[in-house]
Coordinates of all heavy atoms in Angstrom, one line a residue:
A192 N 6.2 2.4 -8.0 CA 5.0 2.0 -7.0 C 3.7 2.8 -7.4 O 3.9 3.9 -8.0 CB 5.4 2.4 -5.6
A197 N 0.5 8.0 1.6 CA 1.6 8.5 2.5 C 2.9 7.7 2.3 O 2.8 6.7 1.7 CB 1.1 8.4 3.9
T207 N 18.2 7.0 17.2 CA 17.6 7.0 18.6 C 17.8 5.8 19.3 O 18.0 4.7 18.7 CB 16.1 7.5 18.5 OG1 15.3 6.4 17.9 CG2 16.0 8.8 17.8
P242 N 1.0 13.0 10.9 CA 1.0 12.7 12.3 C 0.1 11.6 12.8 O 0.3 10.8 13.7 CB 0.6 14.0 12.9 CG 0.0 14.8 11.9 CD 0.5 14.4 10.6
E262 N 7.9 12.3 18.3 CA 8.4 13.7 18.5 C 8.1 14.5 17.1 O 8.0 13.9 16.1 CB 9.8 13.7 18.9 CG 10.8 13.2 17.8 CD 12.2 13.4 18.2 OE1 12.8 12.8 19.1 OE2 13.0 14.2 17.7
V285 N 4.4 12.8 4.5 CA 5.5 12.0 4.8 C 5.7 12.1 6.2 O 5.6 13.1 6.9 CB 6.8 12.7 4.1 CG1 8.0 11.8 4.4 CG2 6.6 12.7 2.5
R310 N 1.7 -1.9 3.6 CA 1.6 -2.2 2.0 C 0.1 -2.3 1.6 O 0.0 -1.9 0.4 CB 2.4 -3.5 1.8 CG 3.8 -3.5 2.1 CD 4.4 -4.9 1.7 NE 3.7 -6.0 2.5 CZ 3.6 -7.1 2.0 NH1 3.9 -7.5 0.8 NH2 2.9 -8.1 2.8
D312 N -2.2 -0.8 2.9 CA -3.0 0.4 3.3 C -2.4 1.7 2.6 O -2.8 2.8 2.9 CB -2.8 0.7 4.8 CG -3.8 1.6 5.4 OD1 -5.0 1.8 4.8 OD2 -3.6 2.2 6.4
S319 N 16.3 4.6 3.3 CA 17.3 5.5 2.6 C 18.6 5.4 3.2 O 18.7 5.8 4.4 CB 16.6 7.0 2.6 OG 17.6 7.8 2.0
D376 N 24.7 2.4 10.2 CA 23.7 3.3 9.9 C 23.0 3.3 8.5 O 21.8 3.4 8.3 CB 23.9 4.8 10.4 CG 25.3 5.2 9.9 OD1 25.9 4.5 9.2 OD2 25.6 6.3 10.2
A388 N 8.4 -5.6 3.6 CA 7.8 -6.2 2.3 C 7.2 -7.6 2.7 O 6.5 -8.3 1.7 CB 8.7 -6.3 1.2

Side-chain angles (χ1 to χ4, degrees):
T207 60
E262 67 174 71
V285 179
R310 297 175 303 146
D312 199 25
S319 178
D376 47 2

